[in-house]
Amino acid sequence: MKELYTDDCVVYVPPGAFIGHEALDKLAGALRATHPHFVYTPHGEPQVLHNAGRLAWGSGPRGEKPNYTGLDVIVVRDNKIISAAVAAACATRPVGAPTTRYQIRGRARRSSA
């Protein structure tokens, strides 16, 4: 985690914003706990423009059609991710397909350390 993200990184996901390594580690652990047998698979090559990039992906049981797809958009500082926005959709609606507007709810979560 520390090799990829800055100390003050912010990751935006539908439940809210998660700030710092400890909060991001807790988020990742919670996600893995809900789907321990899922793997994340890139869909295509990452696209990079200056200090930003994006990557489409799918997640599901290894070797099977993804249960859901997503798109990560990142901003980089000093070769580490300072912010990431994660959008996910169910497998029946591809990333980029028209959807209803939604708001990210919740408050920013910061580690207490």
Side-chain angles (χ1 to χ4, degrees):
M1 189 87 54
K2 291 182 179 184
E3 301 86 36
L4 297 175
Y5 293 88
T6 61
D7 291 338
D8 59 344
C9 65
V10 182
V11 176
Y12 301 95
V13 293
F18 293 79
I19 302 169
H21 292 152
E22 187 176 329
L24 184 53
D25 192 46
K26 287 180 183 177
L27 170 65
L31 289 174
R32 283 190 300 270
T34 61
H35 300 91
H37 60 290
F38 278 22
V39 295
Y40 290 91
T41 306
H43 289 182
E45 293 296 317
Q47 296 176 326
V48 178
L49 178 63
H50 303 291
N51 68 330
R54 70 179 184 171
L55 175 66
W57 50 266
S59 182
R62 186 178 307 278
E64 295 182 23
K65 183 177 176 180
N67 286 44
Y68 58 96
T69 59
L71 178 70
D72 292 355
V73 178
I74 64 166
V75 176
V76 176
R77 178 183 72 208
D78 299 328
N79 294 319
K80 291 188 178 186
I81 298 169
I82 186 168
S83 70
V86 179
C90 68
T92 58
R93 181 178 18 174
V95 171
T99 60
T100 59
R101 182 178 170 198
Y102 73 91
Q103 295 178 337
I104 296 176
R105 295 195 173 106
R107 299 180 63 189
R109 290 151 174 91
R110 183 182 303 270
S111 68
S112 56

